[in-house]
Amino acid sequence: MIPYGRQDIQQADIDAVLEVLQSDFLTQGPVVPRFERAVADKVGARYALAVNSATSALHIACLALGLGKGDWLWTSPITFVASANCGLYCGAKVDFVDIDSRTYNLCPEALAIKLEQAERAGQLPKIVVAVHLCGQPCDMQAIHALSKRYGFRIIEDASHAIGGKYKGEYIGGGRYSDITVFSFHPVKIITTAEGGMALTNDDLLANRMDLLRSHGVTRDPALMTHEADGPWYYQQIELGYNYRMTELQAALGLSQLERLDDYVAHRNTLAERYDAALAELPLTTPWQHSDSYSGRHLYVIRLKLEQIDATHRQVFERLREQDIGVNLHYIPVHTQPYYQQLGCRSADCPEAERYYAEAISLPLYPTMSNELQAAIIAILKDIL
Ligand SMILES: *Cc1c(COP(=O)(O)O)cnc(C)c1O
């Protein structure tokens, strides 16, 4: 089965990991800080904290921003469940803002209306998680302006979007948000096997996330409640976790980072080739805002079902029967049984549900050959 996404591992990656494997440190050594500095410098952020997954990064980001019981976290329903679950981990309540009909990202107009209602009800969110779906950045300027008016904090879930740009600047620089999160899962743009990162320009947030990813324990005398008992001394000053990234993962990430711009450029070339080849078919290709240079993690088409003699599910199944590992990103999170049982109502996100009824992710990854892409296009044409 041709996957919808997959990693690219080259000899330089293998050499980098082997070198660490034979070194003194498998974890808590010099390579993680080097990887953090390299990503921070690349995207223009002051601080980067590497962790063992983007899910962990989202969790410590929420905690660092003070999310807790009684608070609300809002996000888009068209995302992986982790963008919402991080709120529940903190004991907060989660709600969803409908998507924009063209970008499929959280819709700033829907957000504005919901904020107005929430203000009247005294239930404004503490955090909004803006998910850059497929790698295309959200309308961050609009979301940021609303955050100033209503006093919420912003986390960018840029799990799909490292290497992409918003208004000419790399995503992750934090101009319009408090914290940005990247994922390095193998289907994402660069990989560390499992892994993630939280970036910020705020030293207090960086310090808190640093503590939270490693048991809430510090060796920094400046953070301690009293003078050290001796050279062995450390203090636990928070309830933290073990969310650390290993040296092996960081070495792989550093090596992959060298090819980031090439990966994103190649993904954009493949996406444009799909756009051109699929233009005449009864489907909608991914619309791109002029402010955005997408990381192109996913290539999502939407079927024009009224013009097709098959159901969404039949088209999907026929592609799978031909070994094309299409996927559907994502099932609206508010329709998941776990969220239904928490009381999420479907009527609030009609655009997200329309999207779900029509969307299919086609394979897109940098090692995909032109021949393979042509074959996928031919099969899709044939089915439609
Ligand atoms: C992949 C993904 C995550 C979770 O990433 P992990 O590194 O697997 O924890 C979170 N949000 C979105 C939008 C993702 O696609």
Side-chain angles (χ1 to χ4, degrees):
M1 183 87 74
I2 300 155
Y4 79 86
R6 63 157 296 152
Q7 72 277 12
D8 168 43
I9 299 297
Q10 299 188 4
Q11 191 58 44
D13 301 327
I14 295 167
D15 294 344
V17 174
L18 280 181
E19 193 183 315
V20 167
L21 200 49
Q22 293 164 323
S23 77
D24 291 336
F25 295 99
L26 302 185
T27 186
Q28 295 176 284
V31 186
V32 166
R34 265 170 50 208
F35 181 40
E36 291 173 337
R37 195 68 259 147
V39 176
D41 289 347
K42 175 80 187 171
V43 304
R46 283 179 68 197
Y47 305 103
L49 288 300
V51 287
N52 58 359
S53 71
T55 304
S56 303
L58 287 164
H59 184 194
I60 61 172
C62 288
L63 289 172
L65 290 169
L67 190 73
K69 209 166 154 52
D71 294 329
W72 283 95
L73 174 145
W74 291 3
T75 189
S76 163
I78 301 300
T79 184
F80 186 55
V81 291
S83 314
N85 288 346
C86 55
L88 301 183
Y89 295 160
C90 301
K93 291 172 281 187
V94 172
D95 203 358
F96 299 92
V97 182
D98 207 358
I99 59 168
D100 178 89
S101 61
R102 290 192 298 183
T103 62
Y104 319 142
N105 279 329
L106 187 145
C107 172
E109 288 78 29
L111 178 61
I113 292 167
K114 201 172 167 77
L115 285 165
E116 221 172 277
Q117 293 164 349
E119 187 175 45
R120 281 199 295 274
Q123 299 197 326
L124 283 169
K126 183 167 225 165
I127 293 177
V128 170
V129 178
V131 183
H132 303 324
L133 190 75
C134 306
Q136 169 152 235
C138 294
D139 184 347
M140 290 310 299
Q141 207 165 37
I143 296 169
H144 182 257
L146 288 167
S147 81
K148 291 294 158 216
R149 173 146 168 223
Y150 290 98
F152 59 84
R153 312 296 292 270
I154 303 173
I155 299 173
E156 291 176 68
D157 183 346
S159 293
H160 299 181
I162 191 171
K165 293 178 182 171
Y166 176 64
K167 292 184 184 290
E169 294 178 352
Y170 278 110
I171 292 164
R175 187 179 295 281
Y176 301 100
S177 67
D178 296 287
I179 298 170
T180 302
V181 167
F182 293 137
S183 172
F184 306 125
H185 183 279
V187 295
K188 307 287 166 70
I189 295 179
I190 59 170
T191 190
T192 62
E194 297 284 357
M197 199 173 269
L199 296 97
T200 184
N201 295 319
D202 180 317
D203 36 343
L204 289 176
L205 292 176
N207 283 338
R208 281 210 75 194
M209 292 194 288
D210 189 24
L211 281 172
L212 287 162
R213 74 168 156 177
S214 197
H215 307 286
V217 158
T218 186
R219 289 182 182 277
D220 179 356
L223 298 176
M224 292 182 187
T225 56
H226 58 80
E227 209 170 305
D229 295 351
W232 63 84
Y233 195 65
Y234 59 84
Q235 264 191 0
Q236 183 186 343
I237 55 174
E238 284 254 16
L239 181 60
Y241 303 84
N242 181 353
Y243 283 169
R244 292 187 302 258
M245 175 179 276
T246 68
E247 294 281 287
L248 302 167
Q249 291 168 296
L252 179 54
L254 254 178
S255 179
Q256 293 252 315
L257 186 64
E258 303 242 333
R259 304 196 295 276
L260 174 63
D261 290 335
D262 293 340
Y263 283 148
V264 172
H266 191 48
R267 283 175 172 278
N268 272 279
T269 303
L270 289 165
E272 283 156 20
R273 208 176 286 142
Y274 268 139
D275 286 347
L278 304 179
E280 303 306 319
L281 293 184
L283 53 79
T284 307
T285 54
W287 183 82
Q288 300 296 299
H289 195 285
S290 57
D291 283 345
S292 89
Y293 174 61
S294 173
R296 296 286 197 172
H297 164 54
L298 299 171
Y299 189 89
V300 173
I301 56 168
R302 281 180 71 168
L303 303 179
K304 293 181 177 164
L305 288 165
E306 67 287 354
Q307 298 173 35
I308 301 170
D309 197 18
T311 64
H312 179 230
R313 183 184 176 143
Q314 283 168 336
V315 173
F316 192 99
E317 284 173 344
R318 285 172 198 168
L319 284 159
R320 283 271 179 101
E321 279 161 19
Q322 306 257 10
D323 273 348
I324 315 241
V326 287
N327 220 305
L328 208 173
H329 300 94
Y330 291 92
I331 304 159
V333 179
H334 65 279
T335 68
Q336 292 288 356
Y338 193 82
Y339 280 89
Q340 285 287 300
Q341 154 250 308
L342 291 177
C344 286
R345 261 166 307 284
S346 305
D348 295 344
C349 296
E351 203 59 55
E353 288 177 33
R354 269 198 289 280
Y355 167 92
Y356 177 55
E358 300 170 352
I360 297 177
S361 304
L362 299 182
L364 179 68
Y365 48 91
T367 56
M368 190 161 107
S369 68
N370 294 351
E371 294 71 34
L372 179 57
Q373 188 180 27
I376 293 165
I377 290 163
I379 289 167
L380 183 60
K381 279 186 174 164
D382 191 46
I383 290 169
L384 293 180

